[in-house]
C-alpha cells in the first residue's frame, strides 16, 4: 500500500515541476514581449506649434535636440524626443526646458519636464501671451541642423 502512495506522490511532484517550468516560460515570454512593445524610438527633431495669443498667429517650428529656439519672449530647449513604431500605440513625448526672457534680458526658467503630443493640455506651455505644444517627433527636418547653419 505504501509503494502505490509513493508512486502517486512522485507523479504529482513530476507534474508540478512541469507546470512550474511551463509557468516560468510563459512569465519570461510575457516580460520579453512587453518590453518589446514599450520600446521607444529616439528622434533628433521635434515639431512644435506655438500660438501668440495677442496676434492670434499660429507658428509651427522644428527643434533639434540640444538646440535652443526663441519663440516670442520664450526660449525652448529640446533635450529628448521619443516616439513608437507605427505598429504600436502612438505615444510621442519630449523633454524640454522653457525660459522666459524679460525686457531687461533676465532669464527665468518657467518649465522643465515632459510634454505629451497625445495630451497637449497635460503639459503644454500655457503662458500669459504664448502657448507651445508638441506635435510630433521626426527623424529629419527641412530646417538644417544648427551645426550646418
Amino acid at each position: 500500500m505504501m509503494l502505490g502512495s509513493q508512486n502517486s506522490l512522485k507523479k504529482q511532484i513530476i507534474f508540478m515541476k512541469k507546470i512550474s517550468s511551463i509557468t516560468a516560460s510563459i512569465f519570461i515570454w510575457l516580460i520579453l514581449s512587453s518590453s518589446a512593445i514599450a520600446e521607444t524610438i529616439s528622434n533628433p527633431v521635434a515639431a512644435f506649434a506655438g500660438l501668440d495669443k495677442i496676434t492670434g498667429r499660429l507658428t509651427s517650428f522644428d527643434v533639434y535636440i540640444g538646440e535652443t529656439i526663441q519663440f516670442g519672449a520664450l526660449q525652448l530647449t529640446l533635450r529628448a524626443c521619443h516616439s513608437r513604431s507605427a505598429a504600436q500605440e502612438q505615444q510621442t513625448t519630449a523633454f524640454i526646458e522653457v525660459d522666459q526672457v524679460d525686457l531687461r534680458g533676465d532669464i527665468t526658467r518657467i518649465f522643465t519636464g515632459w510634454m505629451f503630443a497625445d495630451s497637449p493640455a497635460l503639459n503644454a506651455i500655457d503662458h500669459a501671451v504664448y502657448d507651445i505644444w508638441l506635435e510630433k517627433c521626426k527623424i529629419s527636418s527641412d530646417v538644417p541642423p544648427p551645426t550646418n547653419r
Side-chain angles (χ1 to χ4, degrees):
M1 179 97 180
M2 194 73 141
L3 187 58
S5 167
Q6 285 179 345
N7 282 340
S8 176
L9 183 60
K10 284 182 183 179
K11 287 180 182 179
Q12 287 178 350
I13 290 172
I14 292 171
F15 177 74
M16 293 303 287
K17 284 183 179 180
K18 286 182 181 178
I19 295 283
S20 273
S21 177
I22 292 170
T23 304
S25 297
I26 291 171
F27 181 74
I28 290 170
W29 177 79
L30 286 172
I31 288 173
L32 293 176
S33 65
S34 67
S35 66
I37 291 171
E39 284 185 33
T40 59
I41 300 167
S42 293
N43 298 279
V45 183
F48 290 92
L51 173 66
D52 182 325
K53 296 177 188 176
I54 304 297
T55 64
R57 190 172 120 199
L58 183 65
T59 306
S60 294
F61 50 93
D62 291 347
V63 183
Y64 285 85
I65 290 180
E67 179 183 23
T68 300
I69 60 98
Q70 185 93 24
F71 179 72
L74 303 180
Q75 293 180 342
L76 183 141
T77 305
L78 177 66
R79 298 295 178 199
C81 197
H82 301 290
S83 60
R84 293 184 181 172
S85 71
Q88 299 172 348
E89 180 182 341
Q90 287 302 302
Q91 182 179 3
T92 303
T93 58
F95 189 84
I96 62 169
E97 299 168 343
V98 180
D99 299 321
Q100 179 177 330
V101 182
D102 66 17
L103 295 174
R104 290 175 288 186
D106 296 332
I107 298 174
T108 306
R109 175 75 36 96
I110 62 169
F111 180 82
T112 300
W114 289 97
M115 190 175 276
F116 305 92
D118 300 338
S119 304
L122 186 59
N123 273 352
I125 305 305
D126 188 17
H127 182 267
V129 178
Y130 306 103
D131 284 347
I132 299 174
W133 61 93
L134 174 65
E135 292 187 319
K136 62 184 174 181
C137 292
K138 299 170 32 173
I139 294 173
S140 63
S141 173
D142 295 337
V143 178
T147 55
N148 293 353
R149 292 185 210 156

